Amino acid sequence: MKQKIKRAFLDTEDGQILYRIGGEGEPLLLLHMNPRSSDEYRELMPILAEHRRVIAMDLMGFGDSDKPPRMYTVADYAKTAIALLDELGIEKTSIMGNHTGAFVSGEIAASYGDRIDKLILGNVAGFGEGGQAELFRRFEEGFNIKEDGGHLMERWLARSRYVGSAELNHRWVLDDLKCFGHPLYAVWAVGNYCLDAPERFRAIKCPTLIIWGIDDVKEFEKLSLAKAGDRYFLSQAIPHGKVVEFDQGTICMMNQIPEEVAQAVIEFLNN
């Protein structure tokens, strides 16, 4: 029987947060990439909810959560995730993050280690100084509304090579458009965090699963964001981490291959 996922809101001192929740048992918190929302896990959540109590939040500045009152750091995002866990009465949880969500998840495990059972990190790019500069360039460029509506087609075409379906691309574009007219909060946050990430992640002691979508890794290299080989910083920082690679995993992998991702996650959590 397919598990029902509910939507709810949490009021924080910095604004309102949207989160999705479903299932029973041990908790698992899911954190999404930029510029997506908890919709990134729409296909994955019902599968995981057959085994766990699953929560996915819209990070502030994304989806249906409020825009933060200031530029948020990765540490700010981590603190907000802890506030949600506190509200739900969850003392300890496993956590899974992808891209931006993985940087935040890693910071949570490094700063709040006593709150984390197991950790799953998806597609943590090794940006380096060149990648950091490209992130800041993209932040300065921003998502701008154009008079002729050209920004709509630009976002539609941004993933046309690998998104797989018009319906899924439509969902991505909706998430994109909720970020237009506002700073690219997560790009700024990750840009300011990425060079410190190797040192921060060395503090992670909990069991860790590292997931890679190889097509995603190659695409980041084409975009001059991160060299494919630089991703190995993660295994060097977390030498006890188990690695699972998906050869056909694109940046949309959480939506495109949820059964394969769920199998790897569930096996890791149950081990």
Side-chain angles (χ1 to χ4, degrees), residues 231-246:
R231 75 185 191 274
Y232 297 121
F233 90 90
L234 195 56
S235 291
Q236 294 169 358
I238 313 174
H240 60 277
K242 175 185 176 182
V243 177
V244 173
E245 296 183 347
F246 298 94

Side-chain angles (χ1 to χ4, degrees), residues 91-200:
E91 291 293 329
K92 195 166 189 176
T93 184
S94 293
I95 185 169
M96 173 179 175
N98 191 41
H99 280 288
T100 299
F103 281 103
V104 177
S105 298
E107 177 59 25
I108 294 171
S111 294
Y112 306 92
D114 60 329
R115 304 292 299 269
I116 304 304
D117 184 14
K118 293 185 178 182
L119 176 67
I120 302 106
L121 300 176
N123 299 300
V124 185
F127 285 108
E129 292 183 358
Q132 183 190 53
E134 178 61 16
L135 287 172
F136 286 144
R137 186 195 69 77
R138 289 170 181 250
F139 170 74
E140 292 296 334
E141 183 179 84
F143 278 179
N144 300 308
I145 300 171
K146 297 182 178 180
E147 291 290 339
D148 64 356
H151 62 292
L152 302 174
M153 186 55 71
E154 286 175 5
R155 295 315 302 163
W156 185 266
L157 295 175
R159 292 167 293 270
S160 59
R161 182 183 67 79
Y162 49 77
V163 74
S165 76
E167 186 274 337
L168 176 56
N169 206 11
H170 178 71
R171 286 160 51 192
W172 274 68
V173 171
L174 288 177
D175 275 348
D176 289 349
L177 296 183
K178 290 175 183 178
C179 298
F180 270 77
H182 302 277
L184 300 185
Y185 297 102
V187 175
W188 183 87
V190 172
N192 280 284
Y193 185 85
C194 61
L195 298 187
D196 295 327
E199 185 62 30
R200 295 297 299 146

Side-chain angles (χ1 to χ4, degrees), residues 29-46:
L29 177 65
L30 306 177
L31 300 180
H32 63 83
M33 72 168 71
N34 164 75
R36 291 233 62 199
S37 68
S38 56
D39 182 75
E40 180 177 13
Y41 296 111
R42 186 192 297 186
E43 289 82 4
L44 192 58
M45 284 191 76

Side-chain angles (χ1 to χ4, degrees), residues 26-81:
E26 295 297 317
L28 172 63
L29 177 65
L30 306 177
L31 300 180
H32 63 83
M33 72 168 71
N34 164 75
R36 291 233 62 199
S37 68
S38 56
D39 182 75
E40 180 177 13
Y41 296 111
R42 186 192 297 186
E43 289 82 4
L44 192 58
M45 284 191 76
I47 304 173
L48 296 175
E50 295 177 4
H51 307 267
R52 298 267 162 164
R53 182 187 184 195
V54 187
I55 308 105
M57 63 188 292
D58 288 5
L59 298 173
M60 296 202 76
F62 299 91
D64 291 328
S65 289
D66 287 344
K67 305 305 178 187
R70 62 185 183 281
M71 294 305 298
Y72 251 34
T73 65
V74 167
D76 287 325
Y77 282 119
K79 183 179 178 181
T80 307

Side-chain angles (χ1 to χ4, degrees), residues 231-263:
R231 75 185 191 274
Y232 297 121
F233 90 90
L234 195 56
S235 291
Q236 294 169 358
I238 313 174
H240 60 277
K242 175 185 176 182
V243 177
V244 173
E245 296 183 347
F246 298 94
D247 289 339
Q248 304 304 316
T250 74
I251 199 170
C252 314
M253 61 186 285
M254 300 300 169
N255 302 111
Q256 292 173 330
I257 54 170
E259 293 85 2
E260 292 91 331
V261 173
Q263 181 179 355

